[in-house]
């Protein structure tokens, strides 16, 4: 569920489908950024492909649990 602080900023929580890391996604509608791919900082999986009309930032919030095979 998106958390909206004000009409110019939108904050969401997302999860990487590959490694299950939890990330915060912040979108600023008052700024633009170059379009391009956004990748997971842990496993390099594709998270998003912003079109550049807004500034989008991702921050690692919860690292996935590591499972060790024995």
């Amino acid at each position: 569920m998106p958390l909206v602080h004000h009409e110019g900023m939108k904050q969401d929580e997302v999860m990487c489908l590959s490694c299950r890391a939890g990330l915060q996604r912040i979108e600023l509608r008052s700024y633009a950024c170059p379009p391009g791919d956004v990748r997971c900082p842990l496993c390099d999986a594709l998270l998003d492909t912003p079109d550049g009309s807004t500034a989008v930032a991702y921050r690692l919030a919860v690292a996935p649990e590591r499972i060790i095979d024995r």
Side-chain angles (χ1 to χ4, degrees):
M1 175 159 43
L3 306 169
V4 178
H5 290 263
H6 58 81
E7 62 185 54
M9 182 175 113
K10 183 172 136 182
Q11 180 179 347
D12 293 314
E13 294 177 358
V14 296
M15 184 176 63
C16 175
L17 298 177
S18 182
C19 72
R20 303 185 57 86
L23 300 115
Q24 287 183 329
R25 180 185 187 275
I26 298 172
E27 180 178 354
L28 297 173
R29 294 185 186 115
S30 57
Y31 293 99
C33 67
D37 294 342
V38 177
R39 299 200 168 268
C40 177
L42 295 178
C43 72
D44 204 39
L46 182 64
L47 294 174
D48 191 9
T49 307
D51 64 1
S53 63
T54 60
V56 179
Y58 285 82
R59 182 176 76 109
L60 181 64
V62 180
E65 294 181 7
R66 302 289 182 193
I67 299 173
I68 301 172
D69 294 329
R70 294 181 186 207

